[in-house]
């Protein structure tokens, strides 16, 4: 079978993917004027080789848009992607070569598959596009089906409607692996599965990561799953990154009020430890007209007047730990503001 040659010039110390100042705004014309939805606004982070980077945040914070920008299903308005030292889309790393090394698994396992193609055909399709012979692509599709726990003799010639949700998601994972990628983006890949199937797919992802030397970007609302699977966690709010750091550090000593509110919203298995008061008041502001300064200040119990005037940047607050909060930065004006002027909370 014709092998794929991956570009790996940077060595183990270099991040696999660097995201620099990524911006994506959606424009829509309406009767009362032109509206701009600031879905992703000046987002920067790194994905290290061999890690799982978890991405969390409320619905509408820009997680899925960021994933589609990483996959280049959407073109950014500004910013750049650097994959292992090479600019994505440049002559040294054209888009076809980049997409061969970066694959994505979507939330809806049924909509992700062509209903007119068998599982064998769906998995082999990518390799056929890249010039692999039909015979070799078919053999590799059977190998991948077995690798994700589906017997090729039983499942290779089935259509999507004949499979359960967990089986379809395993096929989607196999299809993503068919191109022998180095980075796999998982956008709510297990959220539609019941818990028993979800546990099986999560264990499968861990096994594949170890045996195939993969790197994951794992997007999910389920903080329990993110904590179990991730090495580092990136927290987004209203199109911006507000905190990033080691998974256990964020869960035990988070530096941003929004992260702490997310953690307090996690369901508890202890009936004596019920959530009686909402960790956050109000709804997220509109991405069409986000607040000035810190975008979280309208819902933050620690906000002061300076929070509405100064936009915080991601600053180091610990080993490998960054937070975009003036309160977490000892030299910021938040600590010098006297008297304390609390910002009214949004009801």
């Amino acid at each position: 079978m014709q092998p794929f040659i991956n570009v790996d010039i940077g060595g183990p110390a270099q991040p696999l993917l660097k995201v620099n100042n990524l911006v994506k705004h959606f424009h829509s014309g309406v009767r009362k004027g032109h509206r701009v939805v600031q879905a992703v606004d000046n987002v920067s982070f790194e994905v290290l080789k061999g890690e799982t980077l978890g991405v969390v945040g409320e619905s509408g914070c820009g997680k899925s848009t960021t994933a589609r920008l990483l996959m280049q299903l959407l073109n950014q308005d500004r910013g750049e992607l650097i994959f292992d030292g090479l600019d994505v889309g440049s002559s040294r790393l054209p888009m076809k070569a980049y997409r061969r090394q970066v694959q994505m698994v979507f939330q809806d396992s049924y909509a992700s598959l062509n209903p007119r193609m068998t599982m064998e055909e769906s998995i082999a399709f990518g390799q056929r596009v890249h010039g692999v012979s039909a015979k070799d692509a078919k053999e590799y599709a059977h190998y991948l089906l077995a690798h994700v726990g589906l017997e090729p003799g039983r499942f290779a010639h089935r259509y999507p409607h004949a499979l359960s949700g967990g089986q379809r998601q395993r096929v989607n994972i196999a299809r993503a692996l068919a191109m022998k990628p180095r980075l796999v983006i998982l956008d709510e890949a297990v959220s539609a599965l019941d818990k028993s199937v979800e546990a099986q797919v999560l264990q499968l992802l861990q096994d594949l990561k170890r045996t195939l030397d993969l790197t994951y970007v794992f997007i999910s609302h389920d903080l329990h799953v993110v904590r179990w699977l991730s090495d580092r966690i990136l927290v987004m709010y209203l199109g911006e990154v507000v905190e990033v750091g080691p998974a256990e550090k964020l869960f035990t000593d988070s530096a941003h009020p929004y992260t702490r509110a997310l953690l307090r919203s996690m369901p508890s298995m202890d009936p004596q430890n019920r959530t009686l008061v909402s960790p956050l008041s109000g709804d997220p502001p509109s991405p069409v007209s986000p607040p000035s300064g810190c975008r979280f200040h309208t819902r933050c119990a620690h906000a002061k007047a300076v929070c509405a005037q100064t936009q915080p940047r991601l600053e180091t607050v610990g080993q490998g730990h960054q937070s975009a909060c003036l309160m977490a930065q000892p030299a910021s004006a938040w600590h010098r503001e006297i008297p304390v002027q609390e910002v009214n909370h949004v009801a």
Side-chain angles (χ1 to χ4, degrees), residues 237 255-258 260-261 264 279-282 294-304 307 325-327 334 341-346:
Y237 181 78
H256 199 283
Y258 177 64
R260 293 197 288 268
R264 290 198 304 271
L280 282 176
S281 60
C294 174
R295 294 188 175 183
F296 185 60
H297 82 264
T298 58
R299 306 171 74 193
C300 180
H302 307 283
K304 298 181 181 180
C307 297
C325 178
L326 298 176
M327 185 175 64
W334 187 92
Q341 300 177 26
E342 296 295 332
V343 175
N344 293 330
H345 296 173
V346 175

Side-chain angles (χ1 to χ4, degrees), residues 263-296:
L263 298 180
R264 290 198 304 271
S265 71
M266 294 172 62
S268 173
M269 299 298 292
D270 183 1
Q272 303 301 322
N273 186 26
R274 297 180 179 179
T275 301
L276 301 178
V277 180
S278 175
L280 282 176
S281 60
D283 295 323
S286 170
V288 175
S289 55
S292 60
C294 174
R295 294 188 175 183
F296 185 60

Side-chain angles (χ1 to χ4, degrees), residues 10-69:
Q14 178 170 279
L16 181 61
L17 180 66
K18 291 185 67 175
V19 179
N20 294 328
N21 306 118
L22 209 60
V23 174
K24 181 61 180 179
H25 294 172
F26 294 99
H27 301 261
S28 62
V30 295
R31 291 182 180 179
K32 294 185 179 180
H34 189 68
R35 305 178 70 193
V36 178
V37 178
Q38 301 178 32
V40 174
D41 210 11
N42 203 36
V43 164
S44 298
F45 60 90
E46 296 179 346
V47 183
L48 308 180
K49 293 179 181 178
E51 78 166 348
T52 297
L53 177 67
V55 182
V56 299
E58 292 173 287
S59 296
C61 70
K63 303 187 302 296
S64 293
T65 301
T66 300
R68 282 157 175 75
L69 291 171

Side-chain angles (χ1 to χ4, degrees), residues 107-113 119 145 148-150 154-155 158-173 189 192-194 196-198 200-201:
Q107 176 179 0
D108 192 331
S109 62
Y110 187 77
S112 301
L113 296 170
M119 301 302 94
L145 279 172
V148 298
L150 298 176
R154 292 180 56 201
F155 293 96
R158 292 190 185 184
Y159 289 88
H161 71 271
L163 275 66
S164 68
Q167 291 169 343
R168 286 196 295 265
Q169 201 63 300
R170 287 172 181 263
V171 171
N172 281 315
I173 293 170
L193 308 177
D194 62 51
S196 61
V197 176
E198 177 186 80
Q200 296 173 15
V201 173

